[in-house]
């Protein structure tokens, strides 16, 4: 899988889960202790996100890290 393609898919999935949870990027950022602009860049597929941040986002969304890769 192309590295940019997986970033885009991951970002779309993150956005989908965030919207399902009724959270803004800012709200998710506060819950995950990640800056809102970084959340946006992840959702656009611009960031090569670390496993630590994947875990933070999953916890904030009350999901598992695996859920974030369910695309």
């Amino acid at each position: 899988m192309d590295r940019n393609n997986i970033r885009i898919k991951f970002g779309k999935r993150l956005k989908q889960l965030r919207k399902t949870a009724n959270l803004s990027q800012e709200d998710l950022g506060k819950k995950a202790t990640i800056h809102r602009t970084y959340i946006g860049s992840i959702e656009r597929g611009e960031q090569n996100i670390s496993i630590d941040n994947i875990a933070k986002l999953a916890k904030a969304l009350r999901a598992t890290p695996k859920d974030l890769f369910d695309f």
Side-chain angles (χ1 to χ4, degrees):
M1 183 175 288
D2 179 296
R3 70 180 171 154
N4 290 325
N5 192 20
I6 196 165
R7 288 180 192 171
I8 290 168
K9 286 181 179 183
F10 183 90
K12 285 180 180 180
R13 179 66 176 151
L14 175 62
K15 186 175 184 176
Q16 179 185 42
L17 291 172
R18 176 178 63 76
K19 288 189 172 230
T20 298
N22 245 352
L23 295 172
S24 67
Q25 289 178 348
E26 186 171 3
D27 293 336
L28 178 57
K30 285 178 184 176
K31 285 179 172 261
T33 64
I34 296 172
H35 198 275
R36 66 174 173 74
T37 58
Y38 187 66
I39 301 283
S41 63
I42 295 167
E43 289 183 356
R44 291 187 301 275
E46 298 170 352
Q47 292 294 328
N48 187 10
I49 185 171
S50 73
I51 192 74
D52 294 331
N53 285 336
I54 290 169
K56 286 180 177 182
L57 289 168
K59 184 177 179 181
L61 289 166
R62 297 183 180 179
T64 66
K66 181 182 174 194
D67 294 331
L68 291 167
F69 290 95
D70 190 14
F71 39 77

